[in-house]
Amino acid sequence: KQEVTQIPAALSVPEGENLVLNCSFTDSAIYNLQWFRQDPGKGLTSLLLIQSSQREQTSGRLNASLDKSSGRSTLYIAASQPGDSATYLCAVKTSGSRLTFGEGTQLTVNP
Amino acid sequence: GAGVSQSPSNKVTEKGKDVELRCDPISGHTALYWYRQSLGQGLEFLIYFQGNSAPDKSGLPSDRFSAERTGGSVSTLTIQRTQQEDSAVYLCASSLGDRLGEQYFGPGTRLTVT
């Protein structure tokens, strides 16, 4: 059974800092990995999708890497801003259809 | 185009009543998913549709839960005889349907069972 773990559970940083969120998964036979953002009381916004054959994806200030063999992914956020404050969720698709989610990292960026 | 939409956004119901939650996927997306997000439980998969068929229903927590999809589009999740432990945010997602597809989520329906 696939299990996804995210570290840290919560993170508070000053504005402008670069930061890294970590995600690990137990079954390396994945199709892809998605990073999402969730604002309080809202749905999930897809940030980046990395296929199993890829090593990284970039979008603006966000960069996600994937090391499938070691079961790890990182989300790098450059020059953090207060608007980046949200919960970040990592999810993997192992087989069939479903995504298996981590518990999330709650990020607070202080002005 | 429009994203995934869900209705209602909030639903308060009394224990024992039946509820129906609706999902409108992105046009052209053949795959549709239901997830549930509960306090302390994280996000858990409920059911997956490919077209109107549900090849994976393994996440439905009990036989009080059912779902259908018609016309390869709109889906309805029905919870019969609601219990307090059914209180959660129910999220719907859709994708283009192949196993590599990115899933796009709706805003969710917050269900409160009193």
Side-chain angles (χ1 to χ4, degrees):
Chain A
K1 178 187 171 187
Q2 177 73 271
E3 293 182 0
V4 180
T5 303
Q6 292 187 244
I7 295 173
L11 182 62
S12 181
V13 300
E15 182 176 4
E17 196 160 293
N18 301 325
L19 57 100
V20 174
L21 307 181
N22 296 290
C23 172
S24 61
F25 45 94
T26 55
D27 183 352
S28 62
I30 65 170
Y31 289 123
N32 57 46
L33 182 148
Q34 258 180 285
W35 281 95
F36 294 89
R37 168 190 174 133
Q38 187 172 33
D39 294 281
K42 306 289 186 182
L44 276 64
T45 300
S46 181
L47 297 174
L48 290 164
L49 170 72
I50 311 179
Q51 302 295 352
S52 61
S53 59
Q54 298 175 322
R55 296 299 298 258
E56 67 176 341
Q57 283 286 337
T58 298
S59 176
R61 295 182 293 107
L62 304 180
N63 176 276
S65 67
L66 174 64
D67 184 341
K68 198 174 71 162
S69 61
S70 68
R72 295 178 188 275
S73 176
T74 62
L75 178 67
Y76 175 83
I77 303 177
S80 58
Q81 303 171 357
D84 295 331
S85 298
T87 297
Y88 290 79
L89 294 158
C90 165
V92 297
K93 183 180 284 188
T94 306
S95 63
S97 54
R98 68 177 70 189
L99 288 175
T100 302
F101 284 85
E103 294 292 319
T105 294
Q106 186 171 352
L107 173 65
T108 303
V109 181
N110 301 299
Chain B
V4 178
S5 61
Q6 293 186 245
S7 61
S9 55
N10 282 284
K11 177 72 176 178
V12 180
T13 190
E14 293 179 352
K15 177 181 171 182
K17 301 278 190 182
D18 298 351
V19 295
E20 284 190 352
L21 312 179
R22 176 187 168 107
C23 172
D24 281 272
I26 292 172
S27 178
H29 281 192
T30 60
L32 186 146
Y33 316 80
W34 285 97
Y35 295 86
R36 179 169 73 171
Q37 188 172 32
S38 312
L39 276 177
Q41 296 290 326
L43 259 154
E44 54 179 340
F45 167 83
L46 298 178
I47 187 170
Y48 155 61
F49 286 93
Q50 180 59 44
N52 293 333
S53 302
D56 189 353
K57 310 178 184 180
S58 61
L60 295 177
S62 76
D63 59 7
R64 295 187 295 105
F65 287 71
S66 63
E68 65 174 10
R69 189 178 185 195
T70 55
S73 181
V74 172
S75 176
T76 302
L77 177 69
T78 301
I79 309 173
Q80 295 179 310
R81 305 180 303 282
T82 52
Q83 303 295 313
Q84 288 188 329
E85 61 262 28
D86 300 334
S87 296
V89 177
Y90 290 81
L91 292 161
C92 175
S94 70
S95 73
L96 279 171
D98 63 23
R99 61 180 176 232
L100 303 180
E102 186 170 3
Q103 293 190 19
Y104 296 88
F105 280 76
T109 293
R110 181 174 296 277
L111 176 66
T112 303
V113 182
T114 61

